[in-house]
Amino acid sequence: MKNLNLIICLFVTTIISAQDIYIQCGTIYDTNSGKLIKDKTIVVFENKIKSIENGFVFGTDSDRIINLKDKIVLPGLIDMHVHIEGEYNAQSYIKEFTANEADIALESTVYAKRTLMAGFTTVRDLGGTGVNIALRNAINGGLVDGPRIFTAGKALATTGGHADPTNGRRNDLMGDPGPKEGVVNSVPDAKKAVRQRYKNGADVIKITATGGVLSVAKSGQNPQFTLEEIKAITETAKNYGFTVAAHAHGDEGMKIAVLGGVNTIEHGTLMSEETMDLMIKNQCYLIPTISAGKQVAEKALIPGFFPEIVAKKALEIGPKHLATMAKAYKKGVPMGFGTDAGVFPHGKNAIEFGYLLEAGIPVKESLKQATIINAGLLGVQEKLGEIKQGYIADIIAVEENPDQNVKTLENVIFVMKEGVVYKQ
């Protein structure tokens, strides 16, 4: 009798584990070609796309059918620039002194889920307290719902630079942070800081090559690393399997970063044509983040929302962002897709598509950036970024053709990540 029960249990388990998911798609948006592919069925087994069949195919009685016959189906979106741990608001600067790691961790789970439900199944997190590493691990372990995260852990800065964690503090709280905390002031510091990120479990290196808007430091655009320091970072990073992303608003620091061998420039607000040419030559990708520029400029008009020093920079830099992106696109600068979500609410990442369209970048191009190109930048182009046999089953759906209504991307109605349906 015991043997019979065991056989029955094994039989039932086999049936359950062998279940396929049949996603009947009225229209698949091919992000590689920008074309619409009609009447297909995506067959998903476990976490991968098993096959793509012509017409609306049904499996066995044990298989699951998902009806998306009147929807537009796309691969999961990838955002190359988020800060998943938090969201800026009028209390953000005070919270640096009142929030514990546990507070940050719990809040980050809310932002992670919101991001996933917006159709962004993969993100690159470019700097926080280090909680972002634990969040990535929790998501990978199935403890928390969220996107696949590639994280920098803590960003790298110079003393007083944009990511110096003690900027704006009184003398007795300022201390003298070094490579462990992400502050670099020499070539040896640069090497040690990268190795520390490796030890901490980061996936990518983020540097602040110039001043920034939201830190309480005087300049939003001055260069903040030497060429030798950046070369030490990129060379060490390469040895440890890292790519390097460089925050940069000012042109001089941006140019130094490109010459130093970084892989991506984040923001690029005041980029000159000379630097654009250099980026094309070096195949250094620009991650636009127009959304952040728009949002900080708007919030800077609200009295008391930002400290005065931040509001001034926001009004100087934010409004210039879109025009530079338009010029860079026309020039042929290679581009990925990123938003800087966290500067504005997580889950609103798709507003970037509308701003890119305003800058003259067609939706089919920005969708390719947010899928295929970003997958390549992350080194996962053989398994993410397309709806293709053998690829991981990250699949989303919207109501309308994004080429005709870009805002439809702001209302994702179906989300599957690694074969698991999170939203339908």
Side-chain angles (χ1 to χ4, degrees):
M1 187 66 180
K2 287 183 179 179
N3 289 339
L4 179 61
N5 288 336
L6 179 61
I7 291 169
I8 291 170
C9 286
L10 289 172
F11 179 70
V12 171
T13 302
T14 302
I15 290 174
I16 293 171
S17 65
Q19 183 188 54
D20 286 341
I21 300 174
Y22 285 71
I23 307 174
Q24 297 175 337
C25 308
T27 306
I28 295 175
Y29 193 109
D30 183 350
T31 51
N32 189 32
S33 66
K35 294 179 179 178
L36 301 178
I37 302 170
K38 295 289 187 179
D39 299 345
K40 296 285 184 178
T41 299
I42 304 169
V43 184
V44 175
F45 177 66
E46 294 183 343
N47 69 334
K48 291 186 178 179
I49 297 172
K50 181 178 177 180
S51 64
I52 301 172
E53 308 292 341
N54 292 324
F56 300 136
V57 178
F58 293 85
T60 65
D61 290 342
S62 65
D63 292 323
R64 181 178 177 184
I65 305 296
I66 295 175
N67 183 348
L68 296 177
K69 293 177 183 177
D70 60 346
K71 310 302 179 189
I72 308 293
V73 178
L74 306 98
L77 302 172
I78 303 172
D79 190 331
M80 288 291 280
H81 192 132
V82 304
H83 297 280
I84 202 76
E85 288 184 3
E87 282 183 356
Y88 268 93
N89 56 50
Q91 286 75 48
S92 291
Y93 297 92
I94 297 297
K95 282 182 72 173
E96 289 184 19
F97 298 93
T98 60
N100 295 307
E101 275 197 342
D103 299 316
I104 297 168
L106 287 169
E107 286 186 16
S108 73
T109 64
V110 175
Y111 306 138
K113 185 169 184 177
R114 204 188 292 163
T115 301
L116 178 62
M117 295 305 165
F120 287 82
T121 55
T122 305
V123 298
R124 187 177 64 162
D125 178 273
L126 289 186
T129 66
V131 164
N132 40 24
I133 293 173
L135 177 64
R136 176 203 63 196
N137 295 343
I139 291 170
N140 290 347
L143 301 175
V144 174
D145 292 344
R148 185 179 297 102
I149 296 176
F150 294 81
T151 183
K154 294 180 181 180
L156 305 186
T158 56
T159 294
H162 180 53
D164 183 335
T166 63
N167 276 341
R169 297 184 182 179
R170 69 177 193 249
N171 291 342
D172 61 322
L173 296 178
M174 194 175 288
D176 185 23
K180 186 176 181 180
E181 294 78 22
V183 179
V184 168
N185 289 295
S186 65
V187 167
D189 277 1
K191 294 177 179 179
K192 186 174 182 179
V194 172
R195 290 166 181 157
Q196 183 68 50
R197 298 299 161 282
Y198 178 78
K199 183 177 181 179
N200 292 349
D203 305 296
V204 61
I205 300 299
K206 157 79 175 298
I207 70 169
T208 52
T210 76
V213 173
L214 294 178
S215 56
V216 284
K218 183 178 179 181
S219 176
Q221 55 185 287
N222 64 317
Q224 298 191 337
F225 281 87
T226 66
L227 178 60
E228 291 73 25
E229 288 166 345
I230 292 178
K231 281 185 175 179
I233 288 169
T234 58
E235 288 167 6
T236 308
K238 187 175 181 181
N239 291 341
Y240 284 83
F242 292 128
T243 55
V244 179
H247 155 105
H249 288 296
D251 185 59
E252 186 180 349
M254 208 178 304
K255 193 180 302 177
I256 293 170
V258 177
L259 288 170
V262 302
N263 301 95
T264 63
I265 292 290
E266 314 297 311
H267 317 305
T269 311
L270 304 175
M271 185 186 298
S272 67
E273 289 202 29
E274 181 185 353
T275 301
M276 291 178 191
D277 289 335
L278 191 61
M279 289 186 69
I280 294 168
K281 178 183 176 182
N282 289 25
Q283 276 299 287
C284 180
Y285 277 72
L286 173 62
I287 309 298
T289 72
I290 301 172
S291 302
K294 290 273 191 181
Q295 294 288 317
V296 296
E298 288 177 14
K299 294 296 189 293
L301 298 173
I302 302 172
F305 189 91
F306 290 133
E308 186 177 342
I309 193 171
V310 172
K312 183 176 183 290
K313 291 186 291 180
L315 291 172
E316 286 175 352
I317 293 174
K320 298 176 181 177
H321 204 159
L322 190 145
T324 304
M325 299 307 103
K327 188 180 293 185
Y329 175 71
K330 288 179 182 177
K331 186 85 172 173
V333 175
M335 285 187 177
F337 177 97
T339 66
D340 213 357
V343 170
F344 62 95
H346 294 283
K348 301 291 185 183
N349 311 55
I351 61 173
E352 183 78 13
F353 289 107
Y355 292 138
L356 291 168
L357 183 60
E358 193 179 336
I361 301 174
V363 176
K364 68 177 183 178
E365 291 294 328
S366 58
L367 278 171
K368 186 173 184 177
Q369 292 162 0
T371 52
I372 293 169
I373 290 173
N374 279 0
L377 290 172
L378 291 170
V380 291
Q381 65 272 24
E382 298 301 321
K383 54 185 178 180
L384 290 176
E386 293 186 72
I387 294 176
K388 198 171 181 180
Q389 184 176 350
Y391 276 49
I392 290 173
D394 281 14
I395 298 166
I396 67 170
V398 294
E399 296 281 4
E400 301 178 58
N401 180 355
D403 290 330
Q404 297 174 355
N405 179 13
V406 68
K407 285 194 171 293
T408 194
L409 294 166
E410 297 175 34
N411 184 30
V412 170
I413 50 88
F414 174 84
V415 177
M416 171 183 279
K417 177 193 161 201
E418 295 195 10
V420 177
V421 176
Y422 289 89
K423 185 177 185 179
Q424 185 176 1

